[in-house]
Amino acid sequence: MSQFEPQNPDFAAVVRASFAKQGLRQALGIALIEVAPGRATLEAVADPRLTQQQGFFHGALIGAMLDCAGGYAAYSLMPPGSDVLTTEYKINFVAAAKGERLIARGRVIRPGSRLTIATAEGFCRRDGAEHLCAVLLQTLIQVPLAAEAPL
Amino acid sequence: MSQFEPQNPDFAAVVRASFAKQGLRQALGIALIEVAPGRATLEAVADPRLTQQQGFFHGALIGAMLDCAGGYAAYSLMPPGSDVLTTEYKINFVAAAKGERLIARGRVIRPGSRLTIATAEGFCRRDGAEHLCAVLLQTLIQVPLAAEAPL
Amino acid sequence: MSQFEPQNPDFAAVVRASFAKQGLRQALGIALIEVAPGRATLEAVADPRLTQQQGFFHGALIGAMLDCAGGYAAYSLMPPGSDVLTTEYKINFVAAAKGERLIARGRVIRPGSRLTIATAEGFCRRDGAEHLCAVLLQTLIQVPLAAEAPL
Amino acid sequence: MSQFEPQNPDFAAVVRASFAKQGLRQALGIALIEVAPGRATLEAVADPRLTQQQGFFHGALIGAMLDCAGGYAAYSLMPPGSDVLTTEYKINFVAAAKGERLIARGRVIRPGSRLTIATAEGFCRRDGAEHLCAVLLQTLIQVPLAAEAPL
């Protein structure tokens, strides 16, 4: 039920393969739960490795997951042979990130052949409900596979 | 040679104690190298856990370290009994993050009794020189110790 | 049909009075179209004063209108005797701003007694339809009436 | 004394010609004071048209001027036949913008053949000194002359 048409019929496999190559994902126990055209969802389960000084989910983890969620949402719409890099993002933390589970939902606002604008929301699963904890707004750049430069 | 006067003579110990409590720091091998009034420097050594899909330092790690560097720069100027929370930040990635070492230097732009504005720069140590890879602009809020809410 | 309860029953009058005091509004011909709890809409009609070098709506005007739309959305939820100041915002321009009319719709994401997080979208009215041209993410601070400092 | 080499020997004339075409500049009385490779400075004199509800410089004007200052700093480094568009920016307001004069100084952080990252600072001239009132971080895109799309 997406408003976007993928250019790569294998977009889901391509996104999952890219995610699997990320060393940081393993260090932090982040899982890619769902990929759809222009959308991606990641999750992490509460763990002492993921905390800040008060024991809540660390803002850095939240930033990382929302960045990835928006980035893979963007990547899902890119043509075969391309890679995605984050150019920049901005994140607002809107509530204490307490809960058993952190969920990051990315969504493309506007795809482009050079730049894609995406957004992502972070939710904490707590007491059987999801609570918004962060919002991200982001620019992604489409580059040839293995290209390095974000500019 | 800072332009700022700390309100807490024990600022360095307070910053180091807060940093030591962060679970994420240990998971990622981030070290707090230096604290001065209105300044903080963090470092991480290249490691497979810290990479993105091309083997460079992961943007999420860069975001995390710059967020922490700016946050602790801000915390160094806060009075005894206060804690610091990140309200929001924005980061631009300006070059591929290749190198043996990632260095995050945070600096307060303007301290305030409620909000503090800080900036941080990320550098990759490579071939004997430092190369700018990211810039962050950030808002921190001063809260009572153990307060949770970023708003 | 807002999800937010206003704390000031006169919120609409208070918002309109604040808007009326803005000199810039008159210089640019911006109108406040609608105020609801947690929402505000502004409009401007195309005019040579409002253009950039290609004749489209100027990004600065778009930034101004989205900032105001989010700010007044936030102000609508604040208690009597308070004023609102923008602490920071981030804006992405997602398409060329061509059209007869520029519409800015602000919406509160999360209100707070100190800080409120809001978002706003800019649309160009063109060929009988609205086209998204910009997205803003913003932090507002509640201050006593006539307080000056954004920190 | 810039660290950057202009690609266009006529960069200053090109920047000034672009600025002269902006309708908004005239409506607001903004002047382009200086252009150098990777740098640009704009100024506005206090005027009732430029105020917010408390009589200070309006945040929207500050945003507009810092956006332009960073944008023209970036444009000064682009090759002949190119135009510049703002992709996104983020601004923090760090002090009340009181004064006789508002000065916006833009500076390129990192030029690129596609994207350029710039920063700008806003100062209020007051009581014979300059006071920092805002900081901006921004992404610009280089497009062919007369190209429209920011993505």
Side-chain angles (χ1 to χ4, degrees):
Chain A
M1 215 107 105
S2 168
Q3 61 183 107
F4 298 116
E5 278 299 314
Q7 299 183 66
N8 185 345
D10 294 328
F11 73 90
V14 167
V15 166
R16 290 185 185 282
S18 169
F19 184 70
K21 271 184 276 181
Q22 299 207 358
L24 195 68
R25 161 193 68 81
Q26 295 173 299
L28 299 179
I30 302 171
L32 177 62
I33 295 299
E34 191 186 13
V35 190
R39 293 184 183 268
T41 303
L42 281 75
E43 278 194 19
V45 175
D47 182 294
R49 291 174 304 172
L50 308 180
T51 55
Q52 37 83 285
Q53 73 274 18
Q54 297 173 326
F56 306 149
F57 285 110
H58 197 291
L61 176 77
I62 303 171
M65 283 179 59
L66 269 61
D67 178 23
C68 282
Y72 283 125
Y75 196 27
S76 72
L77 298 179
M78 293 183 180
S82 57
D83 204 349
V84 63
L85 293 172
T86 298
T87 295
E88 60 85 31
Y89 67 82
K90 183 254 204 288
I91 185 166
N92 276 72
F93 299 97
V94 307
K98 292 187 287 187
E100 311 98 45
R101 193 174 288 268
L102 184 64
I103 305 158
R105 294 202 174 88
R107 176 176 62 83
V108 169
I109 292 176
R110 167 94 185 208
S113 59
R114 286 174 296 194
L115 301 179
T116 291
I117 312 305
T119 186
E121 291 179 314
F123 298 90
C124 290
R125 185 90 194 164
R126 184 172 78 239
D127 305 329
E130 287 186 7
H131 303 267
L132 183 71
C133 66
V135 182
L136 172 137
L137 184 56
Q138 178 191 33
T139 307
L140 294 311
I141 191 164
Q142 176 182 316
V143 296
L145 258 182
E148 296 178 4
L151 302 192
Chain B
M1 213 104 107
S2 167
Q3 61 182 110
F4 299 115
E5 278 299 314
Q7 299 182 67
N8 185 346
D10 295 327
F11 73 90
V14 167
V15 166
R16 290 184 185 282
S18 169
F19 184 71
K21 272 185 275 180
Q22 299 207 358
L24 194 67
R25 161 192 67 81
Q26 295 173 299
L28 299 179
I30 303 171
L32 176 62
I33 296 298
E34 193 186 12
V35 190
R39 293 183 183 269
T41 303
L42 281 74
E43 278 194 18
V45 176
D47 182 293
R49 290 174 305 171
L50 307 181
T51 55
Q52 37 82 285
Q53 72 274 18
Q54 298 173 325
F56 305 149
F57 285 110
H58 197 291
L61 176 76
I62 303 171
M65 283 179 59
L66 269 62
D67 177 23
C68 283
Y72 284 125
Y75 197 28
S76 73
L77 298 179
M78 294 184 180
S82 57
D83 203 349
V84 63
L85 293 172
T86 298
T87 295
E88 60 84 30
Y89 67 83
K90 183 253 203 288
I91 185 167
N92 276 72
F93 300 97
V94 308
K98 292 187 286 187
E100 311 97 46
R101 195 175 287 269
L102 184 64
I103 305 158
R105 293 201 176 88
R107 176 175 62 83
V108 169
I109 293 177
R110 167 95 185 208
S113 59
R114 285 173 297 194
L115 301 180
T116 290
I117 312 304
T119 186
E121 291 179 315
F123 298 90
C124 289
R125 184 91 195 164
R126 184 172 76 240
D127 304 330
E130 288 186 6
H131 303 267
L132 184 71
C133 66
V135 182
L136 172 137
L137 185 56
Q138 178 190 33
T139 307
L140 294 309
I141 190 164
Q142 177 182 316
V143 296
L145 258 182
E148 296 177 4
L151 303 192
Chain C
M1 214 104 105
S2 167
Q3 60 182 111
F4 298 115
E5 279 299 314
Q7 298 183 66
N8 185 346
D10 294 328
F11 73 89
V14 167
V15 166
R16 290 185 184 283
S18 170
F19 185 70
K21 271 184 276 180
Q22 299 208 356
L24 194 68
R25 161 193 68 82
Q26 295 173 300
L28 299 179
I30 302 170
L32 176 61
I33 296 299
E34 192 186 12
V35 190
R39 293 183 182 268
T41 304
L42 280 76
E43 278 194 19
V45 175
D47 183 294
R49 290 175 304 172
L50 308 181
T51 55
Q52 37 84 284
Q53 73 273 19
Q54 297 173 326
F56 305 148
F57 285 110
H58 197 291
L61 176 76
I62 302 171
M65 285 180 57
L66 269 61
D67 177 23
C68 283
Y72 283 124
Y75 197 27
S76 73
L77 298 180
M78 293 183 180
S82 58
D83 204 348
V84 64
L85 293 172
T86 298
T87 294
E88 59 84 31
Y89 67 83
K90 183 254 204 287
I91 185 166
N92 277 72
F93 300 97
V94 307
K98 292 187 285 189
E100 310 98 45
R101 193 175 289 270
L102 185 63
I103 304 158
R105 293 201 176 89
R107 175 175 63 82
V108 169
I109 292 177
R110 167 94 186 209
S113 59
R114 287 174 294 195
L115 302 179
T116 291
I117 311 304
T119 186
E121 291 178 315
F123 298 91
C124 289
R125 184 90 194 163
R126 184 172 78 240
D127 306 329
E130 288 186 6
H131 302 267
L132 183 72
C133 66
V135 181
L136 172 136
L137 184 56
Q138 179 190 32
T139 307
L140 294 310
I141 189 164
Q142 176 182 315
V143 295
L145 258 182
E148 297 178 2
L151 303 193
Chain D
M1 216 108 102
S2 167
Q3 61 182 108
F4 298 115
E5 278 299 314
Q7 299 183 65
N8 186 345
D10 295 328
F11 74 89
V14 167
V15 166
R16 291 185 184 281
S18 169
F19 184 70
K21 273 185 275 181
Q22 299 207 358
L24 194 68
R25 162 193 68 82
Q26 295 172 300
L28 300 179
I30 302 171
L32 177 62
I33 295 299
E34 192 186 12
V35 189
R39 293 184 183 268
T41 304
L42 281 75
E43 278 195 19
V45 176
D47 182 294
R49 290 174 305 173
L50 308 180
T51 55
Q52 36 84 284
Q53 72 274 17
Q54 297 173 326
F56 305 148
F57 285 111
H58 197 291
L61 176 76
I62 302 171
M65 284 180 57
L66 270 62
D67 178 23
C68 282
Y72 283 125
Y75 196 27
S76 73
L77 298 180
M78 293 182 180
S82 57
D83 204 349
V84 63
L85 293 172
T86 298
T87 295
E88 60 85 30
Y89 67 83
K90 182 254 204 287
I91 185 166
N92 276 72
F93 300 97
V94 308
K98 293 187 285 189
E100 311 97 47
R101 193 174 289 270
L102 185 63
I103 304 158
R105 294 202 175 87
R107 176 175 62 83
V108 169
I109 292 177
R110 167 94 187 210
S113 59
R114 288 174 295 195
L115 301 179
T116 291
I117 312 305
T119 186
E121 291 179 314
F123 298 91
C124 289
R125 185 91 193 163
R126 184 172 77 240
D127 305 330
E130 289 187 5
H131 304 267
L132 183 71
C133 67
V135 181
L136 172 136
L137 184 56
Q138 180 189 31
T139 307
L140 294 311
I141 190 164
Q142 177 181 316
V143 296
L145 258 182
E148 297 178 4
L151 303 192

